[in-house]
Amino acid sequence: MSCILVMNKFTNRKRIYIMNTRKVAILATNGFEESELKSPMEAMKKEGFDVHIVSLEAGKIKGWADGNWSNEYNVDKVISDVKADDYNALMLPGGVINPDMLRRNKHAVNFVKEFFKQGKPVAAICHAPQLLIEADVVRGRKMTSFNSIKTDLINAGANWVDQEVVCDEGFVTSRNPNDLPAFNAKLIEEVKEGKHDMQHA
């Protein structure tokens, strides 16, 4: 939350206005595709959003880039200590290892599901929709992903399309790191818009 001080030139009185900062959770664990966490996080912070990396355990998580382990990132919150009520939106980076680890954790699955139930924006890129299949939130939704999980999503009831970014009532998806500029722009737009009545689990 931030404040701005405004002076009324007619009454010469000062008034403080409270500005609500958008708060976004990035849910990730070891093996996330580094660019798919770093790029959206930096874009959202540039917009003034309060961004938290939420993970399975406290400490640091290690990224994946160009076929090898990459940089470590500090975990801000542990999944068992947060709930969807604490945030305005959720962002899910991909990577092969990351979503496979998250989908096995009941706290992570329920955390994701609650964002959809509450009509809040959710953005997922690359392999991240594997976690959404586990949360049973893709049925009837128009979306995209990395092409290797296309069949999994179709079998789960999704309307899969091959586009750089797809937005279905606050639900944003993209295929791979090449789509990040479009993904980031649409993610930020949807977070600013807030809840969507047609967003659902």
Side-chain angles (χ1 to χ4, degrees):
M1 184 175 289
S2 59
C3 304
I4 57 171
L5 182 64
V6 177
M7 174 73 78
N8 188 316
K9 65 180 180 181
F10 299 107
T11 63
N12 207 32
R13 290 181 179 175
K14 296 176 182 177
R15 177 170 288 182
I16 295 176
Y17 289 88
I18 307 297
M19 307 295 288
N20 288 321
T21 302
R22 305 294 202 284
K23 197 171 176 182
V24 182
I26 297 178
L27 179 59
T29 191
N30 291 311
F32 62 90
E33 183 67 33
E34 184 175 11
S35 63
E36 294 172 1
L37 183 148
K38 183 179 180 182
S39 176
M41 180 173 68
E42 290 178 346
M44 288 190 288
K45 286 184 174 181
K46 189 175 179 180
E47 289 293 321
F49 298 171
D50 186 10
V51 183
H52 290 172
I53 294 177
V54 178
S55 194
L56 306 181
E57 297 177 352
K60 297 177 183 292
I61 53 174
K62 199 172 187 67
W64 188 266
D66 300 320
N68 293 290
W69 290 104
S70 186
N71 297 306
E72 292 185 326
Y73 290 75
N74 291 322
V75 172
D76 299 302
K77 300 287 182 179
V78 176
I79 188 66
S80 57
D81 295 335
V82 296
K83 53 188 184 297
D85 293 340
D86 300 331
Y87 296 96
N88 299 104
L90 173 67
M91 187 263 149
L92 302 170
V96 176
I97 302 169
N98 167 59
D100 191 54
M101 296 290 290
L102 292 173
R103 70 191 303 183
R104 304 180 207 176
N105 184 284
K106 65 178 182 179
H107 295 295
V109 173
N110 289 335
F111 185 64
V112 168
K113 192 176 292 190
E114 280 302 310
F115 279 90
F116 283 86
K117 287 182 178 178
Q118 294 178 21
K120 294 178 177 178
V122 175
I125 187 168
C126 201
H127 288 81
Q130 288 181 314
L131 175 57
L132 303 180
I133 293 172
E134 191 69 29
D136 193 24
V137 293
V138 302
R139 189 173 306 279
R141 306 305 297 268
K142 183 180 179 181
M143 62 182 298
T144 193
S145 70
F146 194 73
N147 60 12
S148 69
I149 63 169
K150 168 185 174 180
T151 301
D152 297 333
L153 286 163
I154 292 172
N155 288 340
N159 175 16
W160 193 92
V161 294
D162 186 12
Q163 296 175 12
E164 67 173 357
V165 64
V166 178
C167 184
D168 179 8
E169 298 293 344
F171 178 35
V172 179
T173 50
S174 282
R175 302 167 301 188
N176 56 57
N178 294 331
D179 298 334
L180 279 166
F183 178 77
N184 292 347
K186 183 55 71 173
L187 163 61
I188 287 166
E189 178 184 329
E190 294 303 306
V191 174
K192 287 180 176 179
E193 285 186 7
K195 288 187 177 183
H196 290 66
D197 292 337
M198 300 299 291
Q199 168 74 306
H200 59 85

